[in-house]
């Protein structure tokens, strides 16, 4: 849940020193590993030398160890101490190794079974390479005859070559009599063919499964293997058309909890009394949500008690847990957010354009930006009273309970696309206390549940307009868990909100808007009426309208425009006016909306006042007076 790079890196200067110290050993390890592959497995060398990194790379943690990060999202694979994490993982695997029966008269079914790993095992299928530390740990604990490893992402191979001692692994495998089969760049789609080659070599009735990472296709392969548990010879060599899951609800991060799939879990109803209280409060404040929860059946994620006797969420098909430790993760998330609150500051993104640089607003923005940037770098604390906060992701909701107890939040917007999560949270989190406290403090809580996140902007803007769109500029954002689809929705929302703020009112815009509107009224410009009854039945309404913008495609349309010019109403937009003039085409209307005088400058590039005086200007009430005088008359919108 909390595997983000910002939790594992130090301050800039300290981080730079750590990376500098490790850079030499990284290069040395890479060079040594390249030589090892040339000697033991030369077919892999071109993969290493020719591959271009696309998604994953290494970075140094505060513990001066290397970790893997998805540089597009900031998600990391391991804890701050990957080697220790992997060592514990191998110990857990040896204590309870998931296995498949190759052939049996009574197939055991799809449920994962495990047993203590014997000192000698004929075959292990490993899904996911990571750094590769688990390979050495496993072979030191068990004599494996055949070890087949699938790793879809060659980025991960490059990460491994920079950090893991492959020379030592090859030598250990040779000494232990282990045959290594590295299926690199392979997402497991060849599993049936591979088993057709492997199974005839085995004397044992068991095939051990070591999952080191979650992956949509690898997990589908593993699920298919378990569907054929006890019937693997029938499965081997068969034509399997396996497809990875792409559903938002099935997303699991690469190194999520329960990766080995050997955790003992049991179904849980949570706190039944709390659940009933929460339903009562939902019925009171959010009757539509109450009704939806009453009708909802959890499909993808189930509420369970995990192997550590903690409440958790479990995905049956992918055999994945959501939390390592819900209470610890929620407390850590809230504490980090309080001390590192995030909000987009539109002033930092604003730049004064050349034609507007003299505006009072932009002059002051240039003066204020360094001060705001300095404040943000000072890592300000989340204020005791927060005007607006958007929380993306409920999960089991414990972080919301902790945060709302710590801070008074006047406008809280909660977005959770997965109803399985919210429904489960009602059995874990004290929503009754959260909602009743908000009601007593006259605060607002908006619940956006279900959907895919594509309408967040429109949904949230409707809420912002109820309290004043100005509050967007003072809105904090908190993501409680990662999901690729939801992250895209969050990114899109942030971009849209920046646009709303950037296009919002500022002093000079309002000042010139009032002045230009006063001029339009004084010059008796025509204003369109909201009531269209006086003209909607006129024959004119049946005439086609051509709206012409400038661009390369206009050249292809010139002859078409000339052919139908006298049969249509023609409206030119922006710089298209000059292009039409050069072709001898006169529009009926010209459209401009910019408030500043730049419109006058490019319109007068048409050096023919009589041509312009035969055209109506279509604009808004803020059009510049000098621009308006160039045309026959003005039709404006308020």
């Amino acid at each position: 849940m909390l595997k983000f790079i910002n939790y594992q890196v130090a301050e800039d200067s300290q981080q730079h020193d750590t990376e500098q110290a490790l850079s030499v050993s990284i290069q040395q390890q890479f060079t040594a590993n390249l030589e090892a592959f040339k000697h033991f497995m030369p077919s892999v060398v071109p993969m290493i030398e020719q591959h271009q990194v696309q998604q994953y790379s290494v970075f140094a943690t505060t513990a001066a160890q290397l970790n893997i990060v998805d540089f597009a999202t900031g998600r990391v694979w391991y804890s701050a101490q990957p080697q220790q994490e992997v060592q514990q993982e191998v110990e857990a695997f040896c204590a309870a190794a998931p296995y498949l029966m190759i052939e049996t008269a009574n197939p055991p079914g799809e449920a994962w079974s495990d047993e203590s790993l014997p000192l000698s095992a004929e075959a292990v299928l490993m899904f996911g390479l990571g750094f590769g530390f688990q390979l050495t740990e496993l072979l030191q604990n068990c004599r494996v005859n055949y070890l087949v490893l699938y790793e879809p992402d060659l980025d991960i191979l490059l990460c491994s070559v920079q950090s893991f001692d492959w020379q030592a692994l090859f030598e250990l495998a040779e000494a232990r009599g282990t045959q290594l089969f590295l299926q690199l760049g392979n997402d497991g789609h060849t599993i049936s063919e591979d088993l057709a080659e492997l199974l005839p070599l085995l004397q044992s009735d068991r095939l051990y499964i070591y999952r080191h990472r979650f992956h949509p296709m690898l997990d589908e392969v593993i699920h298919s293997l378990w569907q054929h548990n006890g019937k693997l010879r029938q499965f081997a060599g068969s034509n399997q058309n396996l497809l990875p899951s792409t559903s938002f609800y099935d997303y699991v991060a690469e190194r999520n909890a329960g990766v080995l799939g050997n955790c003992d879990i049991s179904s849980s109803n949570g706190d039944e009394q709390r659940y009933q209280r929460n339903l009562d409060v939902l019925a009171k404040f959010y009757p539509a949500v109450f009704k939806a929860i009453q009708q909802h059946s959890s499909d993808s994620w189930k509420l369970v008690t995990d192997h550590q006797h903690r409440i958790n969420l479990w995905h049956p098909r992918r055999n994945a847990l959501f939390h390592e430790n819900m209470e610890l993760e929620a407390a850590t998330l809230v504490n980090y957010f309080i001390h590192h609150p995030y909000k987009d500051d539109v002033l930092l993104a604003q730049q004064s354009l050349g034609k507007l640089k003299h505006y009072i607003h932009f002059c002051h923005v240039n003066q204020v930006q360094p001060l705001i940037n300095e404040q943000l770098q000072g890592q300000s604390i989340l204020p005791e009273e927060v005007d607006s906060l958007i929380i993306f992701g409920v999960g089991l909701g414990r972080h919301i309970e902790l945060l709302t107890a710590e801070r008074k939040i006047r406008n809280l917007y909660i977005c959770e696309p997965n109803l399985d999560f919210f429904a489960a949270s009602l059995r874990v989190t004290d929503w009754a206390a959260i909602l009743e406290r908000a009601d007593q403090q006259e605060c607002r809580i908006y619940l956006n549940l279900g959907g895919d996140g594509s309408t967040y902007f429109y949904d949230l803007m409707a809420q912002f307009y109820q309290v004043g769109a100005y509050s967007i500029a003072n809105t904090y954002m908190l993501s409680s868990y990662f999901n690729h689809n939801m992250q895209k929705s969050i990114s899109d929302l942030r971009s849209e909100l920046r646009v709303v703020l950037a296009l919002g009112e500022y002093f000079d815009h309002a000042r010139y808007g009032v002045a230009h509107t006063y001029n339009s009224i004084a010059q008796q410009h025509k204003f369109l009426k909201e009531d269209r009854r006086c003209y909607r039945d006129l024959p004119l309404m049946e005439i086609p309208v051509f709206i012409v913008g400038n661009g390369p495609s206009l050249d292809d349309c010139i002859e078409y425009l000339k052919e139908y010019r006298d049969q249509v109403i023609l409206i030119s937009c922006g710089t298209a006016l000059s292009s039409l003039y050069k072709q001898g085409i006169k529009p009926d209307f010209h459209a401009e909306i910019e408030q500043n005088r730049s419109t006058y400058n490019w319109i007068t590039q048409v050096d023919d006042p009589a041509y312009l005086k035969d055209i109506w200007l279509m604009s808004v009430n803020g059009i510049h007076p000098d621009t308006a005088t160039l045309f026959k008359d003005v039709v404006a919108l308020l």
Side-chain angles (χ1 to χ4, degrees):
M1 182 178 179
L2 298 177
K3 287 187 174 179
F4 284 96
I5 192 171
N6 50 317
Y7 289 92
Q8 295 190 14
V9 293
E11 299 298 327
D12 289 345
S13 58
Q14 183 182 346
Q15 184 68 21
H16 179 266
D17 293 342
T18 302
E19 291 174 353
Q20 284 289 101
L22 288 174
S23 62
V24 175
S25 62
I26 291 174
Q27 186 57 49
Q28 291 174 343
Q29 189 68 74
F30 181 87
T31 302
N33 282 331
L34 199 58
E35 292 302 314
F37 274 106
K38 287 178 180 178
H39 179 71
F40 289 98
M41 207 171 286
S43 62
V44 176
V45 174
M47 296 183 186
I48 298 172
E49 293 181 330
Q50 298 173 14
H51 180 68
Q52 298 294 317
V53 173
Q54 299 175 355
Q55 183 177 5
Y56 300 105
S57 64
V58 298
F59 75 98
T61 71
T62 51
Q65 291 193 23
L66 293 180
N67 202 342
I68 298 173
V69 62
D70 181 338
F71 48 76
T73 64
R75 289 280 303 178
V76 302
W77 274 46
Y78 300 101
S79 64
Q81 296 182 321
Q83 293 189 45
Q84 180 180 339
E85 178 183 329
V86 171
Q87 184 178 10
Q88 293 171 352
E89 178 182 279
V90 173
E91 290 174 359
F93 178 77
C94 291
Y99 68 91
L100 292 162
M101 297 298 296
I102 294 175
E103 196 72 37
T104 177
N106 299 305
E110 298 181 23
W112 286 44
S113 50
D114 58 69
E115 66 181 12
S116 178
L117 186 69
L119 295 178
S120 179
E122 273 209 279
V124 174
L125 298 184
M126 183 175 290
F127 296 90
L129 170 61
F131 276 136
F133 299 131
Q134 76 278 8
L135 292 166
T136 302
E137 290 286 338
L138 177 62
L139 295 187
Q140 288 175 342
N141 284 273
C142 176
R143 186 181 295 273
V144 180
N145 291 346
Y146 303 98
L147 179 52
V148 184
L149 182 144
Y150 294 89
E151 175 50 61
D153 297 303
L154 291 183
D155 281 2
I156 300 302
L157 171 63
L158 264 64
C159 292
S160 174
V161 172
Q162 295 175 75
S163 57
F164 175 59
D165 190 346
W166 280 92
Q167 175 75 28
L169 172 67
F170 288 137
E171 292 175 351
L172 176 62
E174 195 173 65
R176 302 283 279 179
T178 300
Q179 294 191 48
L180 282 173
F181 298 93
L182 302 183
Q183 303 288 66
L184 302 170
N186 187 328
D187 60 8
H189 66 278
T190 62
I191 186 67
S192 60
E193 295 93 330
D194 297 340
L195 287 180
E197 295 181 21
L198 177 64
L199 294 185
L201 304 176
L202 305 183
Q203 302 299 317
S204 171
D205 62 351
R206 280 166 166 71
L207 187 63
Y208 293 95
I209 304 296
Y210 189 129
R211 181 173 62 182
H212 185 68
R213 68 169 293 185
F214 290 102
H215 181 275
M217 187 60 182
L218 292 182
D219 287 354
E220 194 60 32
V221 168
I222 295 172
H223 179 71
S224 184
L225 286 173
W226 244 274
Q227 285 182 315
H228 294 84
N229 191 6
K231 299 177 291 183
L232 289 184
R233 297 193 190 280
Q234 175 186 337
F235 176 80
S238 62
N239 185 18
Q240 298 293 319
N241 185 23
L242 302 177
L243 297 173
S245 171
T246 57
S247 170
F248 167 88
Y249 304 104
D250 295 330
Y251 176 80
V252 178
E254 295 91 344
R255 290 279 300 169
N256 229 61
V259 66
L260 288 174
N262 61 357
C263 298
D264 291 328
I265 58 171
S266 58
S267 180
S268 174
N269 289 322
D271 188 329
E272 192 64 40
Q273 290 184 343
R274 173 169 290 176
Y275 179 65
Q276 292 303 324
R277 288 198 306 272
N278 287 337
L279 287 181
D280 291 342
V281 173
L282 276 182
K284 175 183 177 182
F285 292 111
Y286 303 90
V289 174
F290 169 77
K291 183 178 180 181
I293 292 300
Q294 291 285 83
Q295 298 173 348
H296 179 71
S297 175
S298 296
D299 297 322
S300 299
W301 293 86
K302 311 290 184 181
L303 191 66
V304 297
T305 300
D306 63 24
H307 57 296
Q308 300 180 79
H309 309 292
R310 298 180 180 130
I311 205 75
N312 212 327
L313 287 162
W314 176 61
H315 193 291
R317 186 178 181 88
R318 300 190 70 175
N319 197 6
L321 291 171
F322 191 74
H323 292 284
E324 290 281 0
N325 183 331
M326 179 194 67
E327 290 291 344
L328 177 61
E329 290 169 10
T332 304
L333 175 67
V334 170
N335 182 66
Y336 185 90
F337 180 68
I338 286 176
H339 291 89
H340 305 83
Y342 174 82
K343 68 175 178 180
D344 279 338
D345 200 303
V346 70
L347 284 178
L348 288 179
Q350 285 192 8
Q351 295 181 352
S352 56
L353 301 175
K355 61 187 178 184
L356 305 179
K357 64 182 180 181
H358 64 284
Y359 277 19
I360 294 173
H361 172 76
F362 289 108
C363 290
H364 282 79
V365 164
N366 290 335
Q367 297 174 21
V368 170
Q369 279 179 336
L371 301 177
I372 296 177
N373 195 39
E374 182 180 347
Q375 181 191 36
L376 292 177
Q377 290 179 351
Q379 295 181 342
S380 57
I381 303 295
L382 186 71
E384 293 294 327
E385 187 169 315
V386 177
D387 180 52
S388 294
L389 168 65
I390 306 174
I391 294 180
F392 299 100
V394 169
L396 286 176
R398 185 74 175 115
H399 57 289
I400 299 175
E401 186 175 354
L402 294 175
L403 184 58
T404 52
E406 288 277 340
R407 294 293 190 268
K408 180 179 179 181
I409 305 170
R410 292 205 165 274
N411 298 285
L412 176 58
Y413 310 95
I414 299 173
C415 301
E416 176 52 77
N418 193 338
L419 268 183
D420 284 0
F421 289 172
F422 184 75
S425 76
L426 294 172
R427 298 180 178 275
V428 178
T429 294
D430 193 353
W431 282 101
I434 295 171
L435 299 176
E436 288 174 341
R437 179 168 56 245
D439 184 55
Q440 292 166 5
Q441 295 177 342
E442 297 183 344
C443 298
R444 299 174 71 252
I445 296 180
Y446 166 67
L447 298 177
N448 188 308
L449 306 173
D452 59 3
S454 60
T455 62
Y456 279 166
F457 172 69
Y458 302 102
D459 297 340
L460 291 172
M461 280 308 302
Q463 297 299 315
F464 279 127
Y465 281 129
Q466 290 185 30
V467 299
Y470 59 85
S471 65
I472 299 173
N474 199 31
T475 297
Y476 292 89
M477 297 185 184
L478 169 63
S479 268
S480 64
Y481 67 82
F482 179 83
N483 182 297
H484 274 294
N485 291 31
M486 186 167 72
Q487 208 65 21
K488 182 182 184 305
S489 298
I490 295 171
S491 178
D492 292 345
L493 172 65
R494 287 170 54 192
S495 299
E496 295 282 3
L497 292 180
R498 287 196 196 104
V499 170
V500 170
L501 287 170
L503 294 178
E505 210 60 277
Y506 56 88
F507 174 76
D508 304 87
H509 187 267
R511 171 192 176 193
Y512 289 121
V514 170
H516 294 175
T517 301
Y518 178 83
N519 176 77
S520 289
I521 295 173
Q523 296 299 320
Q524 297 184 345
H525 292 161
K526 311 292 189 298
F527 288 90
L528 293 179
K529 294 181 179 180
E530 182 178 3
D531 186 356
R532 299 183 299 166
R533 287 177 295 179
C534 60
Y535 60 82
R536 65 185 180 188
D537 295 326
L538 294 176
L540 183 71
M541 299 298 289
E542 300 299 320
I543 299 177
V545 178
F546 285 3
I547 301 175
V548 181
N550 212 3
S553 61
L554 180 56
D555 294 336
D556 300 329
C557 301
I558 291 297
E559 294 305 318
Y560 186 83
L561 291 175
K562 288 181 178 179
E563 180 180 354
Y564 292 99
R565 173 63 192 92
D566 295 334
Q567 303 174 44
V568 302
I569 295 173
L570 186 62
I571 303 174
S572 63
C573 302
T575 55
L577 181 63
S578 176
S579 299
L580 293 178
Y581 174 72
K582 292 175 183 177
Q583 294 293 332
I585 301 174
K586 184 188 298 181
D588 299 295
F589 296 91
H590 178 68
E592 293 286 355
I593 60 171
E594 281 208 50
Q595 186 185 74
N596 59 79
R597 199 174 184 270
S598 60
T599 55
Y600 178 88
N601 295 331
W602 66 60
I603 290 172
T604 53
Q605 291 177 11
V606 176
D607 190 15
D608 189 342
Y611 173 86
L612 296 175
K613 277 295 184 181
D614 202 28
I615 302 170
W616 283 65
L617 176 64
M618 183 180 293
S619 187
V620 292
N621 56 294
I623 190 67
H624 197 282
D626 292 351
T627 302
T629 61
L630 297 172
F631 294 90
K632 180 177 182 178
D633 208 338
V634 178
V635 177
L637 292 169
L638 277 173

